[in-house]
Amino acid sequence: LDRERDDRFRLASLVEGSDDAIVSATLEGTIISWNPGAERLYGYPAHEIVGHDVSMLVPAERTADRHVLLDRVRSDERIPAFDAVHRRKDGSAVTISLSMSPIHDRHGQVVAVAGIAHDITETRRLESNLRQSAKMEAVGRLAGGLAHDFNNMLTVIDGYSELALMKLAADHP
């Protein structure tokens, strides 16, 4: 019993100490546990959100996806991490990497859903900036190449113009 109690304490410490949001919900979507990482990510203290539906976190246009995901977990399917956009308490959007898995009772029946969310908003913003920077660099190289080619043409035109001027009389209009 002591070893089992120690194992449970270590597991609870792991969940409580995680920077990621670790949330559990009933199979209908009612939140039943909410760790400090979820409080930091979403802005809701546990006492304000436990007992409410997870739809509080999902934008209205994505509620159909929520039902599909819960149905998949109900049928004992683990859902690997995917990107999603959720809402914080203040209404702002947060991009997360979310994985979901079934929680079983001691008889092996699926009784709840576990979700782990990691904030990737800054990562996606930096990736977007990097892509934009790469595009600008490509445009710069293209413009530089065009300018170089155009300069080569102007050099030829200038050379022929100089030759043509040498063949003309000094008083030619």
Side-chain angles (χ1 to χ4, degrees), residues 1 14-15 18 26 38-39 53 83 85 110 113 121 149 152 159 163:
L1 282 175
L14 180 71
V15 170
S18 176
T26 65
E39 289 183 3
D53 197 274
D83 290 2
V85 176
V110 177
V113 178
T121 305
D149 290 346
N152 289 343
L163 288 173

Side-chain angles (χ1 to χ4, degrees), residues 12-23:
S13 294
L14 180 71
V15 170
E16 292 297 308
S18 176
D19 284 336
D20 292 339
I22 302 176
V23 178

Side-chain angles (χ1 to χ4, degrees), residues 4-155:
E4 185 176 317
R5 203 172 305 131
D6 287 346
D7 288 345
R8 286 179 190 254
F9 180 77
R10 275 193 296 277
L11 183 60
S13 294
L14 180 71
V15 170
E16 292 297 308
S18 176
D19 284 336
D20 292 339
I22 302 176
V23 178
S24 65
T26 65
L27 295 175
E28 293 73 37
T30 303
I31 297 169
I32 52 180
S33 70
W34 187 261
N35 78 332
E39 289 183 3
R40 287 187 295 276
L41 178 62
Y42 292 108
Y44 289 100
H47 70 273
E48 285 184 17
I49 195 138
V50 170
H52 290 86
D53 197 274
V54 293
S55 61
M56 290 178 65
L57 308 174
V58 181
E61 65 274 5
R62 305 306 303 193
T63 54
D65 296 343
R66 170 197 166 277
H67 295 295
V68 170
L69 292 170
L70 285 175
D71 286 344
R72 287 175 58 190
V73 174
R74 265 189 218 103
S75 56
D76 206 14
E77 184 180 343
R78 185 184 181 291
I79 300 170
F82 62 97
D83 290 2
V85 176
H86 277 182
R87 280 189 323 238
R88 290 187 166 120
K89 182 179 179 179
D90 64 7
S92 64
V94 59
T95 305
I96 59 168
S97 175
L98 175 64
S99 62
M100 298 171 68
S101 58
I103 297 174
H104 301 92
D105 65 10
R106 58 188 167 112
H107 305 291
Q109 296 295 320
V110 177
V111 294
V113 178
I116 300 177
H118 179 74
D119 185 355
I120 58 172
T121 305
E122 184 66 11
T123 302
R124 292 299 178 258
R125 187 186 68 73
L126 291 172
E127 287 172 354
S128 176
N129 288 349
L130 181 61
R131 279 191 299 276
Q132 183 65 24
S133 176
K135 287 179 194 175
M136 295 305 290
E137 181 181 354
V139 167
R141 284 185 185 187
L142 178 63
L146 289 173
H148 181 75
D149 290 346
F150 187 64
N151 189 46
N152 289 343
M153 285 186 225
L154 288 177
T155 301

